[in-house]
Amino acid sequence: MMRAAQIAGLVALPPIAALAEAWPTEQQSAPSGQAVMLHEWLDEQNPWSGESQIIIRLVAPMIGADGVDDAALRTDMDWACERWGKHIAQAAAATTGKIVIEMMAAPTPRGIPTPEINRFYETYRLAGDACIWELF
């Protein structure tokens, strides 16, 4: 598991140095206007398929609030895959092209039910240099 602070410490190491600008760890403004920040990323194995996948976990405090509708959220997820997902997958030399974007209203442990915190997920597959949405 890598937190944003750990990621920032890695940007000096090749080949990640070339991605430092495309791999921000500070707060970003998503297309909807909501603030989004990289919380952590994980290289996991899907427990059902056994396939390796990169999990990008983002904190988006306004997620699920008025003003961020489903269409805007989907656009933000696509943007997050382009902004973080594909770059992290490439830097991690991932053996898969599968990326899961998780946006959560507040930091929460992965895999622990927290019904009081809004969380949304989308899955993408890398095709060349593009994030292609897949049904989650």
Side-chain angles (χ1 to χ4, degrees):
M1 173 168 46
M2 297 197 71
R3 301 218 179 270
Q6 292 171 310
I7 294 167
L10 292 176
V11 294
L13 301 173
I16 298 171
L19 300 174
E21 188 173 310
W23 201 16
T25 57
E26 69 279 351
Q27 184 174 297
Q28 301 288 300
S29 181
S32 69
Q34 74 171 322
V36 177
M37 186 171 178
L38 179 64
H39 176 64
E40 66 183 346
W41 70 272
L42 309 152
D43 187 355
E44 290 184 346
Q45 187 174 28
N46 183 306
W48 294 279
S49 70
E51 182 180 24
S52 178
Q53 58 191 14
I54 297 293
I55 312 296
I56 308 299
R57 301 188 75 222
L58 305 165
V59 175
M62 296 303 296
I63 200 165
D66 291 339
V68 182
D69 63 18
D70 290 346
L73 179 59
R74 174 64 197 287
T75 299
D76 287 354
M77 297 286 236
D78 293 348
W79 168 83
C81 186
E82 291 291 328
R83 188 78 174 133
W84 285 287
K86 71 180 184 180
H87 300 292
I88 290 173
Q90 291 165 352
T95 57
T96 183
K98 187 170 184 176
I99 298 168
V100 176
I101 303 293
E102 176 184 358
M103 282 193 184
M104 52 193 161
T108 183
R110 175 117 171 102
I112 305 295
T114 50
E116 70 280 6
I117 296 175
N118 289 323
R119 289 194 273 185
F120 295 90
Y121 301 84
E122 289 290 356
T123 304
Y124 298 85
R125 188 156 304 273
L126 284 179
D129 197 33
C131 289
I132 307 299
W133 175 78
E134 293 189 338
L135 185 60
F136 186 75

